[in-house]
Every structure is written in C-alpha cells, then in structure tokens.
Amino acid sequence: MSVSNDSIVEVLLIYQQFFQFVLTEGLVARVCVAILMSLFFIYLNALMVYTLWSKPVFKETPRYILFNHMLFNDSIQLFVTTLLYILSFAYLKLVMAACAFLVFISSTTFRNAPLNLALMSLERYVAINFPLRHAEIATQKKTYIAIGIIWCMSMIQFIIDLLYVLLSDPKFFSSQIFCSRERLFIKQWQVDAYQGVNMFYFVSVSVIILFTYIRILIAARSISTNKASALKAHKTVLLHIIQLGLCLTSFLYSSIERAAAMTSTSSSLFVDLRYLNYLFVLILPRCLSPLIYGLRDDAVRPLFIYYFCCARGKRRSTVNVH
C-alpha cells in the first residue's frame, strides 16, 4: 500500500539519501553528544523519580504524583526519541509493526506532556482558590484516575490509525520501512486529523493554564489569601506556561526538517540544521523538567542533591510539604 501523501514520502527519501552521506562525513561524534545528553537527563529524571519514591509523603501528595508522572513520561519520550534518531541516522529499516510500537509510545508520551501540565495547573488552582476543599477534590485516587484519562486521550487517535491500516491492508505491518510517524499515514485525512487533534489539545491546555494563572494571580492579591502560597503557585503556573511553550516548539520539528531538506544548498548544511533542530527543538524541552520543578522545590531539592552526590553528606529524616 502506498502512502497517498506524496510530499511526505518525497522528503523522507531525501532524508534517507543524506543519512548515508552523514556516516561518511565523520559526524558521529556530534550525534553521540546529543545521545549522551539525552541519557544524562534520563538519568537525572530517574534519580528525581527515586527521590520522590523515597518518602511516603511524595507518593501521597497529588502535586508530587503529577510531577513524578511528568518525569516518567518525559524519560520515556527522551529514550524512544533518541532510539528513533539513532535508527534514522544509521539508515536502518524496521518492520512496520516494530516501528508502529515505537511511534505509538513516542506519540502518546508527546501528547501526555501538555495534558499533564494542565492537570498540575488545575491542582494548584484548587489548592489556592479552594483550600478547604482541596483535600477532598485532589485526592490520591482521583489523581491516578486523571493520569489514566490523559493516557487514554493521548493514545486513542493512534489506535484508530493502526486499526484503519490493519483493516485496509493486514500485510502492511510486515513490510520494512525507515521508521517515522509520517510513514504510518496512508490517507491524507489521517494527516489532517493528527494535526487537528494536536492543535485542539494544545489550544485547550493553553486556555486552562492561562485561566489558572490569572485566577491564582488574582488570589495572590487578595487580602484573605495566604500570599506566600499564592505567589509560589503563581510562579509555578508561570513555569507551566514556559514549559507548554517549549512543548509547542516540538510541533515545529517536522516542518523545520522538511524545510531544511528542501532548501539546503548542500548536504552538510542540511545535516547541521537537522542536528540543531533535533537538539534544541525536540530534546531540550524534555530535559528541563527536573531543573524547572524539582530543584526549586524546598522539599525535594535537599534529597535530590543527597542522592545525586551518591548518598554523601547529611540526609533529612523528615520532609515538610506545604
């Protein structure tokens, strides 16, 4: 079965021709830097997750449960994205079924990121604007249910695409291809639906985060509100806006790569642009979670530093969560 979106296929073929040239140009070192950076931040995320699991209070508090999920989700995204980059750089083909599995994980975790940010902002909104009902609304059980819902929301469209392809041509999944999300589209309506759903999710999340930001900002100026907590929540939601903006840049990755492939006057220029695009547009936004959230948290930071230093120094026996 041929892909109906001919422009996508044409650009992918351009990519594949460059991949072979890349390996002969001695650019493996730069790719290794990108891979090592991804692995380093996966390690930091794993260490932060371990820190959050080291104390029962972190496993019971909704905002830390959501933070833990964000770290877990970003680590998976980093790992799978790096693996796909290695496969493309090495000019390796995969069986379509294996490619579909990798892209399924990558696509699902990609969409999870902004939805999780929306949950984190809503949790802070409830904590500041409805402090007396916060313990009732934001429970441990409800938090896990909400996480399950965003996973279902993120994977449903991809499952529909896979079922459509499977019903259209069962042999399609036994073919070998250069793995990318675009190669799983066999009809133009799938491309349009994918872009439309992405746009809907990010617009919805943007509205939610901006709404919570404004409401918390108003609460921070209220005389009856705990100003210290409100101002801290205000800064946290502001960081959510920045993180959402970084997530939005990931949407530009494919467009930038196609533009680079079509407009570059030399293969070396294309390789340079593709490398910078991968590093700063796709990878960097996923590397900032432990730095943006974990290290600014007074309860998490001392424990994280303790474990990062290989359990040397003084460890806190108790943790105060505000």
Side-chain angles (χ1 to χ4, degrees), residues 17-18 66 84 155 172-173 199 248 286 305 307-308:
Q17 292 172 5
F18 280 121
L66 292 172
L84 290 172
M155 66 176 61
F172 186 63
F173 286 99
M199 185 62 65
L248 281 170
R286 306 295 176 185
I305 294 174
Y307 289 120
F308 183 76

Side-chain angles (χ1 to χ4, degrees), residues 39 105 119 130 147 157 160 191 196 211 225 272-273 283-284:
L39 294 177
I105 296 175
L119 282 180
F130 307 99
I147 290 173
Q157 186 187 17
I160 293 173
V191 180
F211 168 77
T225 304
D272 292 338
L273 291 175
I283 294 299
L284 187 60

Side-chain angles (χ1 to χ4, degrees), residues 176-218:
Q176 292 189 343
I177 63 165
F178 296 97
C179 190
S180 70
R181 178 67 174 95
E182 288 83 358
R183 295 307 297 268
L184 299 177
F185 294 135
I186 61 174
K187 297 293 183 180
Q188 182 61 39
W189 67 264
Q190 291 177 291
V191 180
D192 297 336
Y194 179 73
Q195 295 174 346
V197 171
N198 281 343
M199 185 62 65
F200 171 76
Y201 279 171
F202 273 84
V203 169
S204 300
V205 170
S206 299
V207 171
I208 291 172
I209 293 180
L210 287 174
F211 168 77
T212 56
Y213 176 79
I214 293 171
R215 293 292 298 175
I216 291 174
L217 183 62
I218 294 173

Side-chain angles (χ1 to χ4, degrees), residues 124-125 128 216 228-238 296:
R124 288 293 83 199
Y125 165 73
I128 298 303
I216 291 174
S229 297
L231 287 172
K232 187 173 182 179
H234 160 255
K235 292 178 181 179
T236 299
V237 177
L238 180 60
R296 65 182 293 269

Side-chain angles (χ1 to χ4, degrees), residues 43 47 304-313:
Y43 165 72
L47 194 61
F304 175 77
I305 294 174
Y306 173 79
Y307 289 120
F308 183 76
C309 296
C310 302
R312 296 175 182 176

Side-chain angles (χ1 to χ4, degrees), residues 15 77 81 106-115 117 154 157 181-182 185 190-206 243-259 277-278 280-286:
Y15 295 168
Q77 171 73 15
T81 300
S106 177
S107 178
T108 302
T109 52
F110 172 73
R111 282 183 173 172
N112 280 347
L115 296 176
L117 288 174
S154 297
Q157 186 187 17
R181 178 67 174 95
E182 288 83 358
F185 294 135
Q190 291 177 291
V191 180
D192 297 336
Y194 179 73
Q195 295 174 346
V197 171
N198 281 343
M199 185 62 65
F200 171 76
Y201 279 171
F202 273 84
V203 169
S204 300
V205 170
S206 299
Q243 188 76 352
L244 179 65
L246 292 173
C247 289
L248 281 170
T249 61
S250 299
F251 271 129
L252 303 175
Y253 177 77
S254 296
S255 299
I256 294 174
E257 190 162 274
R258 292 190 191 108
N277 186 34
Y278 171 76
F280 291 104
V281 176
L282 200 61
I283 294 299
L284 187 60
R286 306 295 176 185

Side-chain angles (χ1 to χ4, degrees), residues 31-46 74-83 85-86 278-279 282-284 286-287:
V31 176
C32 288
V33 170
I35 294 172
L36 290 174
M37 187 179 78
S38 298
L39 294 177
F40 174 72
F41 278 97
I42 290 173
Y43 165 72
L44 287 184
N45 286 353
D74 286 353
S75 297
I76 295 176
Q77 171 73 15
L78 275 173
F79 179 79
V80 176
T81 300
T82 302
L83 180 59
Y85 186 71
I86 293 172
Y278 171 76
L279 199 63
L282 200 61
I283 294 299
L284 187 60
R286 306 295 176 185
C287 295

